[in-house]
Amino acid sequence: MVDHFQKLFQGENSDGLILREKWLAAEGLFDRLGERHHLAVFTGRLRWEAHVTLNRFLPDRFDPVIGSDDVARSKPDPEGLHKICASLTHGKCWYIGDTVDDARASRAARVPFIGIASKSSPRYGDLVRLLREEGAVAVLDDINSLEAIVGQAGSLRGTGSPARQSHDR
């Protein structure tokens, strides 16, 4: 099943469904966040696969990009978050994600978590409830609301400032 999905997703010559992915963040969102915060990614995808999408929309904005091939244990294990936080001199990190495994990895790493749950999801209510149960300090309906919550970071539980699956500079 996984092999069949990867063939469809990657295509024969990198011409698969991966090229149909849509970027949900408004233009300039991560550029503005990146002016004040160090942005990194911890993903369940293979690193090269994540780079295909990131390079299409925001080349060189996220560093490091930690993929499933960079860790011994996949999410919800916090290994990738630990690697990113250890690369920062101050160690203050926030994690933003859209799955329960993201929330669990964040909790295990003792890193404040902000969840994203799209209202268009047929399981929206369940996801919001689960993210909150896993300790999310906030759950947003839209990634584009992230910039507003960054300004409220001091009133949220935890330290540092949030940025998409990323970490304070």
Side-chain angles (χ1 to χ4, degrees), residues 45-152:
R45 292 182 176 195
L46 298 171
R47 184 178 0 97
W48 73 265
E49 190 178 294
H51 275 293
V52 169
T53 299
L54 293 172
N55 288 339
R56 279 184 49 225
F57 297 103
L58 283 174
D60 304 319
R61 175 50 72 193
F62 299 93
D63 181 46
V65 174
I66 304 289
S68 61
D69 49 334
D70 296 312
V71 295
R73 295 166 307 280
S74 59
K75 289 191 257 182
D77 190 275
E79 182 182 356
L81 285 176
H82 287 304
K83 286 183 176 194
I84 291 170
C85 292
S87 73
L88 302 170
T89 56
H90 54 67
K92 291 187 280 186
C93 299
W94 284 75
Y95 191 48
I96 289 76
D98 60 357
T99 70
V100 173
D101 278 352
D102 292 333
R104 289 176 178 159
S106 185
R107 186 181 50 163
R110 298 179 184 251
V111 169
F113 178 74
I114 296 174
I116 308 292
S118 172
K119 282 191 172 182
S120 65
S121 169
R123 308 251 352 197
Y124 169 77
D126 291 334
L127 181 58
V128 169
R129 180 182 52 76
L130 287 169
L131 294 176
R132 288 186 176 144
E133 284 175 4
E134 292 296 333
V137 296
V139 177
L140 308 177
D141 296 337
D142 182 347
I143 188 68
N144 294 299
S145 301
L146 185 58
E147 198 167 15
I149 199 98
V150 168
Q152 300 173 18

